[in-house]
Amino acid sequence: MPPWFDLLRTPMAAPETVRLRRLRVTWQLLCLLTALTVGFITPLRAAIGQAAPRLAAMLIACLLVQSRIYWAAKQRADSRADGSPEQPE
Protein backbone atom coordinates (compact mmCIF):
# COMPACT_ATOMS: atom_id res chain seq x y z
CA MET A 1 0.00 0.00 0.00
CA PRO A 2 1.45 3.42 -0.92
CA PRO A 3 2.56 5.58 2.05
CA TRP A 4 0.24 8.44 1.06
CA PHE A 5 -2.76 6.09 1.24
CA ASP A 6 -1.74 4.99 4.74
CA LEU A 7 -1.55 8.64 5.74
CA LEU A 8 -5.11 9.27 4.49
CA ARG A 9 -6.41 6.40 6.62
CA THR A 10 -4.47 7.37 9.75
CA PRO A 11 -6.31 9.46 12.37
CA MET A 12 -4.76 12.89 12.70
CA ALA A 13 -5.82 13.53 16.28
CA ALA A 14 -5.81 11.30 19.30
CA PRO A 15 -8.33 10.09 20.20
CA GLU A 16 -10.33 10.53 17.04
CA THR A 17 -14.05 10.59 17.72
CA VAL A 18 -16.67 9.59 15.17
CA ARG A 19 -17.47 13.27 14.59
CA LEU A 20 -13.82 14.20 14.10
CA ARG A 21 -13.31 11.27 11.73
CA ARG A 22 -16.34 12.37 9.70
CA LEU A 23 -14.97 15.92 9.55
CA ARG A 24 -11.54 14.63 8.45
CA VAL A 25 -12.94 12.40 5.71
CA THR A 26 -15.22 15.19 4.46
CA TRP A 27 -12.27 17.59 4.42
CA GLN A 28 -10.13 15.10 2.49
CA LEU A 29 -12.90 14.49 -0.06
CA LEU A 30 -13.41 18.22 -0.56
CA CYS A 31 -9.65 18.62 -1.12
CA LEU A 32 -9.72 15.85 -3.71
CA LEU A 33 -12.83 17.17 -5.48
CA THR A 34 -11.43 20.70 -5.56
CA ALA A 35 -8.13 19.50 -7.02
CA LEU A 36 -9.90 17.41 -9.67
CA THR A 37 -12.28 20.22 -10.57
CA VAL A 38 -9.52 22.79 -10.93
CA GLY A 39 -7.24 20.33 -12.72
CA PHE A 40 -9.91 19.38 -15.24
CA ILE A 41 -11.54 22.78 -15.61
CA THR A 42 -11.14 22.82 -19.41
CA PRO A 43 -12.94 19.51 -20.05
CA LEU A 44 -15.55 20.46 -17.45
CA ARG A 45 -16.10 23.79 -19.16
CA ALA A 46 -16.57 21.98 -22.47
CA ALA A 47 -19.06 19.60 -20.85
CA ILE A 48 -21.10 21.91 -18.62
CA GLY A 49 -20.19 25.38 -19.88
CA GLN A 50 -20.12 28.36 -17.53
CA ALA A 51 -21.22 26.20 -14.61
CA ALA A 52 -17.67 24.77 -14.38
CA PRO A 53 -16.02 27.88 -12.86
CA ARG A 54 -19.01 28.30 -10.54
CA LEU A 55 -18.63 24.69 -9.44
CA ALA A 56 -14.94 25.25 -8.76
CA ALA A 57 -15.67 28.43 -6.80
CA MET A 58 -18.36 26.69 -4.77
CA LEU A 59 -16.01 23.82 -3.93
CA ILE A 60 -13.26 26.23 -2.91
CA ALA A 61 -15.66 28.12 -0.64
CA CYS A 62 -16.92 24.88 0.92
CA LEU A 63 -13.34 23.73 1.40
CA LEU A 64 -12.41 26.94 3.20
CA VAL A 65 -15.38 26.65 5.56
CA GLN A 66 -14.81 22.93 6.16
CA SER A 67 -11.08 23.53 6.76
CA ARG A 68 -11.83 26.04 9.49
CA ILE A 69 -14.34 23.72 11.16
CA TYR A 70 -12.09 20.66 10.94
CA TRP A 71 -8.89 22.32 12.10
CA ALA A 72 -10.64 23.97 15.06
CA ALA A 73 -12.14 20.63 16.13
CA LYS A 74 -8.80 18.89 15.63
CA GLN A 75 -6.97 21.48 17.69
CA ARG A 76 -9.51 21.07 20.52
CA ALA A 77 -9.11 17.26 20.40
CA ASP A 78 -5.31 17.55 20.41
CA SER A 79 -5.44 19.94 23.36
CA ARG A 80 -7.65 17.56 25.32
CA ALA A 81 -5.34 14.63 24.50
CA ASP A 82 -2.31 16.62 25.71
CA GLY A 83 -4.08 17.55 28.93
CA SER A 84 -3.63 21.25 28.31
CA PRO A 85 -6.59 23.58 28.92
CA GLU A 86 -8.86 24.23 25.97
CA GLN A 87 -8.25 27.50 24.14
CA PRO A 88 -11.27 29.79 23.63
CA GLU A 89 -12.11 30.56 20.00
mmCIF file of all heavy atoms in Angstrom, residues 37-57:
data_model
loop_
_atom_site.group_PDB
_atom_site.id
_atom_site.type_symbol
_atom_site.label_atom_id
_atom_site.label_comp_id
_atom_site.label_asym_id
_atom_site.label_seq_id
_atom_site.Cartn_x
_atom_site.Cartn_y
_atom_site.Cartn_z
ATOM 1 N N THR A 37 -11.508 19.212 -9.853
ATOM 2 C CA THR A 37 -12.283 20.219 -10.572
ATOM 3 C C THR A 37 -11.389 21.281 -11.186
ATOM 4 O O THR A 37 -11.546 21.643 -12.352
ATOM 5 C CB THR A 37 -13.321 20.874 -9.636
ATOM 6 O OG1 THR A 37 -14.160 19.858 -9.093
ATOM 7 C CG2 THR A 37 -14.165 21.891 -10.370
ATOM 8 N N VAL A 38 -10.427 21.766 -10.409
ATOM 9 C CA VAL A 38 -9.519 22.791 -10.927
ATOM 10 C C VAL A 38 -8.597 22.194 -11.994
ATOM 11 O O VAL A 38 -8.328 22.826 -13.017
ATOM 12 C CB VAL A 38 -8.717 23.431 -9.772
ATOM 13 C CG1 VAL A 38 -7.620 24.336 -10.299
ATOM 14 C CG2 VAL A 38 -9.653 24.221 -8.856
ATOM 15 N N GLY A 39 -8.135 20.975 -11.756
ATOM 16 C CA GLY A 39 -7.244 20.333 -12.717
ATOM 17 C C GLY A 39 -7.902 20.026 -14.053
ATOM 18 O O GLY A 39 -7.251 20.052 -15.093
ATOM 19 N N PHE A 40 -9.175 19.714 -14.014
ATOM 20 C CA PHE A 40 -9.907 19.376 -15.238
ATOM 21 C C PHE A 40 -10.918 20.455 -15.604
ATOM 22 O O PHE A 40 -11.995 20.146 -16.140
ATOM 23 C CB PHE A 40 -10.612 18.024 -15.077
ATOM 24 C CG PHE A 40 -9.654 16.867 -14.979
ATOM 25 C CD1 PHE A 40 -9.414 16.260 -13.759
ATOM 26 C CD2 PHE A 40 -8.988 16.412 -16.098
ATOM 27 C CE1 PHE A 40 -8.535 15.194 -13.658
ATOM 28 C CE2 PHE A 40 -8.104 15.350 -16.015
ATOM 29 C CZ PHE A 40 -7.871 14.735 -14.792
ATOM 30 N N ILE A 41 -10.588 21.692 -15.356
ATOM 31 C CA ILE A 41 -11.539 22.780 -15.610
ATOM 32 C C ILE A 41 -11.865 22.913 -17.103
ATOM 33 O O ILE A 41 -13.010 23.190 -17.464
ATOM 34 C CB ILE A 41 -11.047 24.122 -15.013
ATOM 35 C CG1 ILE A 41 -12.193 25.139 -14.949
ATOM 36 C CG2 ILE A 41 -9.873 24.677 -15.769
ATOM 37 C CD1 ILE A 41 -13.180 24.886 -13.892
ATOM 38 N N THR A 42 -10.886 22.686 -17.968
ATOM 39 C CA THR A 42 -11.139 22.825 -19.408
ATOM 40 C C THR A 42 -12.127 21.773 -19.903
ATOM 41 O O THR A 42 -13.115 22.138 -20.575
ATOM 42 C CB THR A 42 -9.816 22.764 -20.198
ATOM 43 O OG1 THR A 42 -8.949 23.790 -19.702
ATOM 44 C CG2 THR A 42 -10.052 22.977 -21.680
ATOM 45 N N PRO A 43 -11.925 20.475 -19.606
ATOM 46 C CA PRO A 43 -12.942 19.506 -20.047
ATOM 47 C C PRO A 43 -14.301 19.735 -19.377
ATOM 48 O O PRO A 43 -15.353 19.543 -20.008
ATOM 49 C CB PRO A 43 -12.372 18.150 -19.636
ATOM 50 C CG PRO A 43 -10.940 18.362 -19.360
ATOM 51 C CD PRO A 43 -10.769 19.807 -19.050
ATOM 52 N N LEU A 44 -14.283 20.161 -18.121
ATOM 53 C CA LEU A 44 -15.546 20.459 -17.448
ATOM 54 C C LEU A 44 -16.263 21.622 -18.119
ATOM 55 O O LEU A 44 -17.489 21.602 -18.279
ATOM 56 C CB LEU A 44 -15.316 20.778 -15.971
ATOM 57 C CG LEU A 44 -15.181 19.592 -15.040
ATOM 58 C CD1 LEU A 44 -14.785 20.062 -13.642
ATOM 59 C CD2 LEU A 44 -16.478 18.819 -14.977
ATOM 60 N N ARG A 45 -15.488 22.634 -18.496
ATOM 61 C CA ARG A 45 -16.097 23.793 -19.159
ATOM 62 C C ARG A 45 -16.703 23.387 -20.504
ATOM 63 O O ARG A 45 -17.762 23.882 -20.884
ATOM 64 C CB ARG A 45 -15.063 24.892 -19.332
ATOM 65 C CG ARG A 45 -15.672 26.169 -19.825
ATOM 66 C CD ARG A 45 -14.659 27.256 -19.883
ATOM 67 N NE ARG A 45 -15.098 28.300 -18.974
ATOM 68 C CZ ARG A 45 -14.357 29.282 -18.571
ATOM 69 N NH1 ARG A 45 -13.111 29.348 -18.921
ATOM 70 N NH2 ARG A 45 -14.836 30.201 -17.779
ATOM 71 N N ALA A 46 -16.029 22.470 -21.198
ATOM 72 C CA ALA A 46 -16.572 21.978 -22.470
ATOM 73 C C ALA A 46 -17.851 21.175 -22.234
ATOM 74 O O ALA A 46 -18.772 21.217 -23.052
ATOM 75 C CB ALA A 46 -15.531 21.132 -23.194
ATOM 76 N N ALA A 47 -17.902 20.456 -21.125
ATOM 77 C CA ALA A 47 -19.057 19.603 -20.850
ATOM 78 C C ALA A 47 -20.244 20.363 -20.270
ATOM 79 O O ALA A 47 -21.388 20.139 -20.674
ATOM 80 C CB ALA A 47 -18.661 18.476 -19.901
ATOM 81 N N ILE A 48 -19.978 21.253 -19.300
ATOM 82 C CA ILE A 48 -21.101 21.913 -18.625
ATOM 83 C C ILE A 48 -21.095 23.426 -18.768
ATOM 84 O O ILE A 48 -21.912 24.117 -18.151
ATOM 85 C CB ILE A 48 -21.160 21.522 -17.127
ATOM 86 C CG1 ILE A 48 -19.893 21.924 -16.372
ATOM 87 C CG2 ILE A 48 -21.432 20.051 -16.967
ATOM 88 C CD1 ILE A 48 -19.944 21.663 -14.878
ATOM 89 N N GLY A 49 -20.191 23.960 -19.572
ATOM 90 C CA GLY A 49 -20.186 25.384 -19.875
ATOM 91 C C GLY A 49 -19.763 26.261 -18.702
ATOM 92 O O GLY A 49 -18.866 25.922 -17.946
ATOM 93 N N GLN A 50 -20.463 27.378 -18.553
ATOM 94 C CA GLN A 50 -20.118 28.364 -17.526
ATOM 95 C C GLN A 50 -20.365 27.873 -16.103
ATOM 96 O O GLN A 50 -19.961 28.531 -15.143
ATOM 97 C CB GLN A 50 -20.887 29.662 -17.758
ATOM 98 C CG GLN A 50 -20.335 30.495 -18.890
ATOM 99 C CD GLN A 50 -18.881 30.862 -18.661
ATOM 100 O OE1 GLN A 50 -17.997 30.292 -19.295
ATOM 101 N NE2 GLN A 50 -18.622 31.783 -17.774
ATOM 102 N N ALA A 51 -21.008 26.741 -15.952
ATOM 103 C CA ALA A 51 -21.217 26.198 -14.609
ATOM 104 C C ALA A 51 -19.914 25.653 -14.021
ATOM 105 O O ALA A 51 -19.791 25.527 -12.802
ATOM 106 C CB ALA A 51 -22.280 25.100 -14.644
ATOM 107 N N ALA A 52 -18.929 25.339 -14.859
ATOM 108 C CA ALA A 52 -17.666 24.769 -14.378
ATOM 109 C C ALA A 52 -16.918 25.720 -13.441
ATOM 110 O O ALA A 52 -16.527 25.305 -12.341
ATOM 111 C CB ALA A 52 -16.792 24.351 -15.548
ATOM 112 N N PRO A 53 -16.705 26.982 -13.806
ATOM 113 C CA PRO A 53 -16.024 27.883 -12.864
ATOM 114 C C PRO A 53 -16.847 28.121 -11.590
ATOM 115 O O PRO A 53 -16.287 28.270 -10.498
ATOM 116 C CB PRO A 53 -15.846 29.186 -13.636
ATOM 117 C CG PRO A 53 -16.050 28.849 -15.057
ATOM 118 C CD PRO A 53 -16.888 27.617 -15.106
ATOM 119 N N ARG A 54 -18.155 28.138 -11.727
ATOM 120 C CA ARG A 54 -19.008 28.304 -10.544
ATOM 121 C C ARG A 54 -18.892 27.102 -9.629
ATOM 122 O O ARG A 54 -18.870 27.241 -8.397
ATOM 123 C CB ARG A 54 -20.455 28.519 -10.968
ATOM 124 C CG ARG A 54 -20.671 29.850 -11.644
ATOM 125 C CD ARG A 54 -22.140 30.085 -11.965
ATOM 126 N NE ARG A 54 -22.273 31.269 -12.786
ATOM 127 C CZ ARG A 54 -22.678 31.264 -14.048
ATOM 128 N NH1 ARG A 54 -23.013 30.137 -14.635
ATOM 129 N NH2 ARG A 54 -22.752 32.382 -14.723
ATOM 130 N N LEU A 55 -18.820 25.910 -10.217
ATOM 131 C CA LEU A 55 -18.632 24.691 -9.443
ATOM 132 C C LEU A 55 -17.298 24.733 -8.699
ATOM 133 O O LEU A 55 -17.234 24.412 -7.511
ATOM 134 C CB LEU A 55 -18.699 23.460 -10.354
ATOM 135 C CG LEU A 55 -18.415 22.114 -9.715
ATOM 136 C CD1 LEU A 55 -19.479 21.788 -8.666
ATOM 137 C CD2 LEU A 55 -18.349 21.032 -10.779
ATOM 138 N N ALA A 56 -16.251 25.149 -9.395
ATOM 139 C CA ALA A 56 -14.936 25.249 -8.760
ATOM 140 C C ALA A 56 -14.964 26.264 -7.618
ATOM 141 O O ALA A 56 -14.420 26.010 -6.534
ATOM 142 C CB ALA A 56 -13.878 25.625 -9.791
ATOM 143 N N ALA A 57 -15.591 27.398 -7.845
ATOM 144 C CA ALA A 57 -15.673 28.427 -6.804
ATOM 145 C C ALA A 57 -16.474 27.938 -5.601
ATOM 146 O O ALA A 57 -16.088 28.188 -4.450
ATOM 147 C CB ALA A 57 -16.307 29.699 -7.378
#
